Amino acid sequence: MIHSRLARGLRLRPGGAGRPGGSDQSDQPDRTRWTSGTSGTDRTGGTDRTRRAARSARALPHAVATVLAALLTALLATALAGCGDTGALHGAGATPTAVGPTRLWPQLPPAATPAIDYGEADTETVEGVTAPGEDIRALDPVAVVRAQVAAHPKEYTGPHAQYAETARLLADCGRPGARGRRCPVLRAYYRDLTGDGKADMVLGIRFPAHQLAVRVYTFLGHRLVQVMGTADSVVSVELAGRDVIIRSPSTLPGYEFRTVWSWDPHQNAMLATRDEILRVGPPTPTGTPAPTRSPPARRASPAVPPERSPSAQQASPAVPPALSPAASTP
């Protein structure tokens, strides 16, 4: 029955190869072409549907590439349109004309000497203090200060000594308890400030009226030399590289003085290479009185001790700055 159905449903089309009495009237190569009588669909070994699928498969990569290229072009166009900058140079406007400094009163003769000797490069040799191998860390900081006090009795122990209280409190250095904490000599810090590869010593000494003396010592020519000395009311003292930076209060609300001391090999001394006033906070509100301070004294008078650099800047504030623990005698 199956064979009879196939026989009825299928017929051999004319022109098939090997058909008796048939002739090949087609331009196609010899092959047997069977056609379904019911559906009329080709059933050959390489059908049209298969060929169309093969052509579609071959054409798919090209179509995908075409679509991707179109999308990429659209994205680039959108990006360029959004940027709006082709990278070309644009003018920034006219350049202002440079104006050099104008000298005022050129007829005045230039001064050759300062009106006041501030002692910017004053140094002092500390007599009687040595260290094995010139190791400055081996020195007793209190012994160094006592040697300088002994060398300047007028300023420290005389009847009108300005720093008599400091000299008296030196007796408490090295003592235990509260008396030891009253020692005016603060902890010593060590840093190579002169650039010779050896450590130098930075000392802080509390003076009356909440002032702080800052001194730097080094060995020069096998002798201990104080190469920097200044006294001022102090907000903070910092070491930055080979510089000593001292911040002091100003009578202007919201401002501070900032002085940078740096080593000068020509003078063999630490010089105040930068001295400026800086805005550090909001001014005092209207109607609020500013803190009461003594009259400003940015430079000390020539009557100060020789070891003090007269670049003292400002009178003391109402509240003393925070101080480090006092140095003690080893």
Side-chain angles (χ1 to χ4, degrees):
M1 182 178 293
I2 295 176
H3 292 287
S4 61
R5 289 179 181 175
L6 288 176
R8 289 196 303 268
L10 299 175
R11 70 176 181 273
L12 187 63
R13 296 182 61 181
R19 177 181 174 87
S23 63
D24 190 359
Q25 298 178 358
S26 173
D27 295 334
Q28 300 295 329
D30 292 342
R31 61 189 174 190
T32 302
R33 180 177 297 172
W34 297 91
T35 305
S36 173
T38 57
S39 62
T41 304
D42 290 343
R43 304 285 297 214
T44 63
T47 63
D48 292 341
R49 180 178 298 175
T50 304
R51 287 195 298 271
R52 286 196 300 270
R55 284 196 300 270
S56 299
R58 288 194 301 270
L60 182 61
H62 178 72
V64 172
T66 303
V67 172
L68 290 177
L71 289 176
L72 182 60
T73 302
L75 289 175
L76 290 176
T78 303
L80 291 177
C83 180
D85 187 1
T86 60
L89 297 177
H90 299 280
T95 302
T97 303
V99 179
T102 301
R103 182 178 178 183
L104 306 183
W105 308 295
Q107 71 277 11
L108 295 178
T113 56
I116 300 176
D117 182 8
Y118 295 118
E120 293 93 342
D122 284 352
T123 61
E124 178 185 352
T125 300
V126 183
E127 301 291 347
V129 179
T130 59
E134 299 185 356
D135 181 9
I136 205 165
R137 296 177 183 269
L139 294 177
D140 176 10
V142 176
V144 173
V145 176
R146 284 174 174 162
Q148 291 188 294
V149 168
H152 301 282
K154 181 179 178 180
E155 287 79 21
Y156 291 96
T157 58
H160 303 289
Q162 186 176 3
Y163 307 110
E165 182 183 359
T166 299
R168 179 178 58 82
L169 291 176
L170 282 174
D172 293 330
C173 295
R175 295 179 180 271
R179 293 194 63 182
R181 289 192 292 269
R182 294 191 303 179
C183 175
V185 182
L186 305 182
R187 169 190 172 186
Y189 289 87
Y190 301 92
R191 174 82 58 97
D192 178 14
L193 300 175
T194 60
D196 61 356
K198 299 179 180 180
D200 305 307
M201 181 170 66
V202 183
L203 273 187
I205 307 169
R206 284 181 288 196
F207 276 181
H210 305 307
Q211 293 195 58
L212 180 69
V214 181
R215 299 177 181 176
V216 175
Y217 301 86
T218 189
F219 278 101
L220 294 176
H222 308 291
R223 307 178 73 180
L224 182 66
V225 180
Q226 176 191 307
V227 294
M228 171 191 161
T230 183
D232 200 354
S233 58
V234 168
V235 174
S236 69
V237 181
E238 301 171 340
L239 291 176
R242 289 166 51 188
D243 295 335
V244 179
I245 304 175
I246 301 177
R247 294 169 51 212
S248 304
S250 168
T251 53
L252 298 176
Y255 289 83
E256 287 180 353
F257 289 108
R258 180 178 181 271
T259 306
V260 179
W261 295 79
S262 307
W263 173 253
D264 188 299
H266 303 287
Q267 298 294 329
N268 279 338
M270 301 280 290
L271 302 183
T273 53
R274 291 191 296 277
D275 195 1
E276 54 191 351
I277 184 170
L278 300 175
R279 176 75 175 270
V280 294
T284 303
T286 304
T288 303
T292 302
R293 298 189 180 102
S294 302
R298 291 289 296 160
R299 298 289 184 183
S301 65
V304 298
E307 66 272 17
R308 285 184 61 203
S309 172
S311 62
Q313 299 178 356
Q314 177 65 37
S316 60
V319 180
L323 301 175
S324 305
S328 60
T329 305

